[in-house]
Amino acid sequence: MQRVYFDNAATTPISDAVSEAMISVLKNQYGNPSSIHAEGRAVRALLEGARKTVAQAIGAGTADIFFTSGGTESNNMALKCAVRDLDVRRIISSPLEHHCGLHSIESLVHFQDIEIVWLPVDALGRVSMEALESALQNQNGKKTLVSLMHANNEIGTMINLKTVSELCIQYGALFHADTVQTMGHFPIDVQNIKINFLSGAAHKFHGPKGVGFIYINPDSPIKPLIDGGAQERNMRGGTENVYGIVGLAKALERAVAEMEHRSTHIRKLRAYMRQALVHNFPDIQFNGDLDGDSLYTVLSASFPPGPKNELLLLSLDIAGVSASGGSACSSGAEKGSHVLEAIGADPERKSIRFSFSHYNTEEEVDFAVKALVQILTPKTQHVPA
Amino acid sequence: MQRVYFDNAATTPISDAVSEAMISVLKNQYGNPSSIHAEGRAVRALLEGARKTVAQAIGAGTADIFFTSGGTESNNMALKCAVRDLDVRRIISSPLEHHCGLHSIESLVHFQDIEIVWLPVDALGRVSMEALESALQNQNGKKTLVSLMHANNEIGTMINLKTVSELCIQYGALFHADTVQTMGHFPIDVQNIKINFLSGAAHKFHGPKGVGFIYINPDSPIKPLIDGGAQERNMRGGTENVYGIVGLAKALERAVAEMEHRSTHIRKLRAYMRQALVHNFPDIQFNGDLDGDSLYTVLSASFPPGPKNELLLLSLDIAGVSASGGSACSSGAEKGSHVLEAIGADPERKSIRFSFSHYNTEEEVDFAVKALVQILTPKTQHVPA
């Protein structure tokens, strides 16, 4: 049976080039990169080559890239270590952040005397820059960290990194950008836009799960979240996930090289699906800032109330279409989406996130829309023959 | 050129069965285990199957196993979260612990009012059980965590898990065992021996790097070290390293099934190398409790002072033999071994850790000993022909 995978914001298939690079290491390179013998040095060379590739992809110094177990660890590290090591006593963030940001902040506030400012968002999921500036103007003498997602993972609404960066510079605040959804999909250059911490996760750009990185601006040095040996220049203990790191670097290298080509294809595909959905479902709406700054891989459709809504994702799955009700990270919890709630989405409507990669095709969109029509359109009475 | 890999305590080669299992997932299974569609459910099944395998290997409940990015993260989590969540105000440990234990403890003591008791160790690296009992008798009303390595990674000296466990039960203390070096090499059964937290790292038993697990006894529930989504039943945020977890489970399953066979082979090999070294180097000594409770994979040899000592590891490497001066995790730092210092080893002597796996052979021992003889034996004057 044909299957259509429209859940690329949850995770992407590993590309062949990436799996080949990983398999070569899995089979042939087993040294510990901290060992000084030949087997160790060979693996260390792979590791440092990967670091250079990642650094080049975002205009960073090689020494400013640290590999982690993923975007969640990177975001935890930025938030928790900035508070611990840089005397941050105030965090400005938004209610639309990923759970790894929200729950890290909750944990910080629970155990320490940290002031938290939640910025208002509008119905399109846009974070108020006026409120950000106002909050930055009133720091009460407390060192402040601004922590915002570059693009929301559920509805795709983006912040302008340059705008936020300039405000942070102007008011002397630190800036953590959760770039997990945009890394490899949008150009990011920390030489042009000053960011103190940013995060990446390989599995969002056709690399492996369980590996990511954090960029740490040398102006804001922090200490390890995970203490241990001298790995990652004493910044992250634990023997490195070498296969994963090699895969991450290969995937990011390809994503950057093919960014224009891939994004053109995916933008076209999203517009095509949007049009097809509007054509077939006149009452459809879309969550997020679709005609503004928006993550082009995500199309969050909102269907009017109806009897098929409750099982819509399951019905799509049975029909061969994989999509999502929100972020995968929350779906295990089977709770409503905090993002949709924060933008005031009508809870009677049903939101489905379709998210694309360059592997997807217009034929797959046709297939998915047809499935939706079959599921949602009231059937005419069967007349017995 | 032949190479002999005697650094299996640093990391082990991935077995073919493990890499095949991982490659199959890398190539064919890309869903996010938190997604509810078919691709996600297939990967979730792999993840939960792996959890069951690991639980069975140590007699634990499936719900008590949590996957992490490795032994270092697991040990960080046990120490830091026990202090944070279980009101631990006193840690009893030893100066021989791995850096991930020592540095986690240092970080805790630096930021919080935690009392730390360092147990004395003897010249063989044995932790004093009398001192442990004495420290447990005087808890000063502070909740106490005992944190000890099951086997030291540099010299192999072991604690008796049952003895420590019974003392902890008797005096109401929590027990964290760093079992990174022994997991898959010694039988561990948490049904027979009560341990609150224990740790494992796949790459120490022929699985992949960058993945591990923590066992958490349900009597001592802690909260996440890494906050995020609902993964690992809300205990560890971040999309799971599925390939790594599948590899870990396969590797542990094989290690447990073949434990007797592998350990018999390795014990014989270690005795064979010990005998050959004594035969060739009458002044040789061995670090650790070689004739007592000792990690059979490790042979830490101590060579008398000599002009070739400083470059001995490098010379061995050039001759095709990979060994280690201490733990790989510290070698990047190029510092002396804190373990050898703590047992009062003579700093004029040169310690080399040879560590074995079941892939090693007596021929490889012969090769390594011959290389050592060639490096260390004073050469007779060359007479020009």
Side-chain angles (χ1 to χ4, degrees):
Chain A
M1 192 185 102
Q2 186 180 354
R3 286 202 69 85
V4 169
Y5 185 74
F6 280 171
D7 199 12
N8 290 282
T11 196
T12 54
I14 293 189
S15 73
D16 288 346
V18 170
S19 66
E20 277 162 28
M22 291 177 69
I23 290 167
S24 163
V25 183
L26 267 173
K27 291 198 161 182
N28 306 315
Q29 305 271 21
Y30 59 85
N32 186 319
S34 297
S35 298
I36 58 170
H37 47 60
E39 288 86 349
R41 291 194 309 272
V43 173
R44 167 66 70 125
L46 294 174
L47 185 62
E48 297 311 321
R51 197 184 314 280
K52 195 172 169 186
T53 301
V54 172
Q56 285 174 342
I58 61 165
T62 307
D64 307 331
I65 303 295
F66 303 91
F67 293 112
T68 67
S69 68
T72 288
E73 183 189 327
S74 297
N75 288 327
N76 269 253
M77 187 172 177
L79 285 157
K80 294 176 179 177
C81 298
V83 166
R84 189 191 60 190
D85 304 326
L86 302 174
D87 203 31
V88 166
R89 288 294 166 269
R90 192 159 170 272
I91 298 172
I92 300 175
S93 190
S94 104
L96 302 188
E97 300 304 295
H98 188 273
H99 275 156
C100 68
L102 294 179
H103 292 167
S104 290
I105 292 171
E106 283 164 14
S107 169
L108 285 164
V109 171
H110 182 74
F111 292 105
Q112 294 173 68
D113 181 26
I114 305 293
E115 183 189 338
I116 165 81
V117 179
W118 297 113
L119 297 175
V121 295
D122 69 12
L124 300 182
R126 292 179 300 193
V127 176
S128 166
M129 288 299 111
E130 295 70 32
L132 172 61
E133 178 154 22
S134 170
L136 284 168
Q137 280 167 338
N138 302 290
Q139 294 187 36
N140 307 322
K142 293 177 182 171
K143 184 77 187 167
T144 298
L145 171 71
V146 174
S147 177
L148 291 171
M149 300 178 91
H150 187 197
N152 185 271
N153 56 324
E154 296 191 29
I155 59 174
T157 307
M158 296 180 73
I159 60 166
N160 186 306
L161 288 179
K162 195 163 186 66
T163 306
V164 177
S165 167
E166 285 173 354
L167 284 171
C168 288
I169 291 169
Q170 185 180 348
Y171 294 101
L174 298 167
F175 179 25
H176 163 232
D178 172 355
T179 47
V180 166
Q181 283 291 343
T182 53
M183 184 65 62
H185 300 286
F186 287 83
I188 293 175
D189 183 351
V190 295
Q191 280 190 311
N192 285 328
I193 301 179
K194 181 172 179 178
I195 298 170
N196 294 90
F197 311 103
L198 59 74
S199 47
H203 76 110
K204 304 293 191 189
F205 46 83
H206 305 284
K209 298 175 185 67
V211 61
F213 69 91
I214 181 171
Y215 158 79
I216 303 176
N217 187 305
D219 286 354
S220 48
I222 52 177
K223 294 194 176 71
L225 178 69
I226 296 179
D227 291 297
Q231 292 94 352
E232 298 293 302
R233 298 186 306 293
N234 290 305
M235 278 299 289
R236 204 277 186 186
T239 300
E240 298 87 344
N241 176 357
V242 181
Y243 340 98
I245 290 167
V246 165
L248 180 153
K250 173 62 76 179
L252 188 56
E253 186 178 55
R254 296 293 288 257
V256 169
E258 298 175 15
M259 195 180 286
E260 201 177 316
H261 173 72
R262 291 184 187 180
S263 75
T264 303
H265 174 79
I266 299 170
R267 284 175 200 274
K268 209 175 134 198
L269 212 59
R270 182 172 77 154
Y272 181 77
M273 184 158 188
R274 181 183 181 181
Q275 196 175 27
L277 287 174
V278 169
H279 178 77
N280 283 282
F281 305 98
D283 293 333
I284 205 165
Q285 297 173 4
F286 296 96
N287 301 307
D289 192 15
L290 218 50
D291 297 309
D293 284 340
S294 178
L295 179 63
Y296 57 83
T297 52
V298 164
L299 182 66
S300 177
S302 162
F303 294 90
K308 304 289 186 182
N309 279 5
E310 198 173 337
L311 296 178
L312 185 50
L313 272 176
L314 182 63
S315 306
L316 274 173
D317 184 32
I318 291 167
V321 179
S322 294
S324 164
S327 82
C329 293
S330 337
S331 64
E334 289 174 21
K335 287 183 192 160
S337 157
H338 69 284
V339 173
L340 297 176
E341 194 185 326
I343 61 170
D346 179 355
E348 298 299 312
R349 298 181 65 92
K350 176 71 179 179
S351 289
I352 303 282
R353 178 185 72 179
F354 302 97
S355 52
F356 312 102
S357 83
H358 60 285
Y359 293 127
N360 293 127
T361 63
E362 290 194 355
E363 288 68 35
E364 290 181 326
V365 171
D366 294 340
F367 182 91
V369 172
K370 193 173 160 197
L372 280 164
V373 169
Q374 285 179 341
I375 295 163
L376 291 173
T377 307
K379 288 183 181 52
T380 51
Q381 202 72 33
H382 280 289
V383 182
Chain B
M1 193 185 103
Q2 185 180 355
R3 285 203 67 87
V4 170
Y5 185 74
F6 280 171
D7 200 12
N8 290 281
T11 195
T12 54
I14 293 189
S15 73
D16 289 345
V18 169
S19 66
E20 278 163 28
M22 291 176 70
I23 290 167
S24 164
V25 183
L26 267 173
K27 292 199 162 183
N28 305 314
Q29 305 270 20
Y30 60 84
N32 186 321
S34 296
S35 297
I36 59 170
H37 47 59
E39 288 86 350
R41 291 195 309 272
V43 174
R44 168 65 70 123
L46 293 174
L47 184 63
E48 296 311 321
R51 198 184 313 279
K52 195 172 169 187
T53 299
V54 172
Q56 285 174 342
I58 61 165
T62 307
D64 307 331
I65 302 295
F66 304 91
F67 293 112
T68 67
S69 67
T72 288
E73 183 188 328
S74 297
N75 288 326
N76 269 254
M77 186 172 178
L79 283 157
K80 294 176 179 177
C81 299
V83 165
R84 188 191 60 190
D85 303 327
L86 301 175
D87 202 32
V88 165
R89 287 296 167 265
R90 193 160 172 268
I91 297 173
I92 300 175
S93 189
S94 104
L96 302 188
E97 299 305 294
H98 187 275
H99 275 156
C100 68
L102 294 180
H103 293 168
S104 289
I105 292 172
E106 282 164 15
S107 169
L108 286 164
V109 172
H110 183 75
F111 292 105
Q112 293 172 71
D113 181 27
I114 305 293
E115 183 189 340
I116 166 80
V117 179
W118 296 113
L119 297 176
V121 295
D122 68 14
L124 301 182
R126 292 177 301 192
V127 176
S128 166
M129 287 300 110
E130 294 71 31
L132 173 60
E133 180 155 21
S134 169
L136 284 169
Q137 281 167 339
N138 302 291
Q139 295 188 36
N140 309 321
K142 293 178 183 170
K143 185 75 188 170
T144 298
L145 170 71
V146 175
S147 177
L148 291 171
M149 301 178 90
H150 188 197
N152 185 272
N153 57 323
E154 295 192 28
I155 59 174
T157 308
M158 296 180 73
I159 59 165
N160 187 306
L161 288 179
K162 196 164 185 66
T163 305
V164 177
S165 167
E166 285 173 354
L167 284 171
C168 288
I169 292 168
Q170 186 180 346
Y171 294 100
L174 297 167
F175 178 25
H176 162 233
D178 171 356
T179 47
V180 166
Q181 284 291 343
T182 52
M183 185 64 63
H185 300 285
F186 287 82
I188 292 175
D189 183 350
V190 295
Q191 281 191 310
N192 285 328
I193 301 180
K194 181 173 179 177
I195 299 170
N196 294 90
F197 312 103
L198 58 76
S199 47
H203 76 110
K204 304 293 191 189
F205 47 83
H206 305 283
K209 297 175 185 67
V211 59
F213 68 91
I214 182 171
Y215 158 79
I216 302 175
N217 188 306
D219 285 356
S220 47
I222 53 178
K223 293 194 176 71
L225 178 70
I226 296 179
D227 290 299
Q231 293 92 353
E232 298 294 302
R233 296 188 307 293
N234 290 303
M235 278 298 289
R236 204 277 184 188
T239 300
E240 297 88 343
N241 176 356
V242 181
Y243 339 99
I245 290 167
V246 165
L248 181 153
K250 174 61 77 177
L252 187 57
E253 186 179 55
R254 296 292 289 258
V256 169
E258 299 175 15
M259 194 181 288
E260 200 177 317
H261 174 71
R262 291 184 187 180
S263 75
T264 303
H265 174 77
I266 299 170
R267 283 176 200 274
K268 209 174 133 200
L269 212 60
R270 181 170 79 155
Y272 181 76
M273 183 157 188
R274 180 183 181 181
Q275 195 174 28
L277 288 173
V278 169
H279 178 76
N280 284 280
F281 304 98
D283 293 334
I284 204 166
Q285 296 172 5
F286 296 96
N287 300 307
D289 192 15
L290 218 50
D291 298 308
D293 282 340
S294 179
L295 180 62
Y296 57 83
T297 53
V298 164
L299 182 67
S300 176
S302 161
F303 293 90
K308 304 290 186 182
N309 278 7
E310 199 173 335
L311 297 176
L312 185 50
L313 272 177
L314 182 62
S315 306
L316 275 172
D317 184 31
I318 291 168
V321 179
S322 294
S324 164
S327 82
C329 293
S330 337
S331 64
E334 290 174 19
K335 286 184 193 161
S337 156
H338 68 284
V339 173
L340 296 176
E341 194 185 328
I343 61 170
D346 179 355
E348 299 298 313
R349 298 181 65 93
K350 177 68 178 179
S351 287
I352 302 285
R353 179 185 71 178
F354 302 99
S355 51
F356 313 102
S357 84
H358 60 285
Y359 293 126
N360 293 126
T361 62
E362 290 195 354
E363 289 67 35
E364 289 181 326
V365 171
D366 294 340
F367 182 90
V369 172
K370 194 174 158 196
L372 279 165
V373 169
Q374 285 178 342
I375 295 163
L376 291 173
T377 308
K379 287 182 181 52
T380 50
Q381 200 72 32
H382 278 288
V383 183

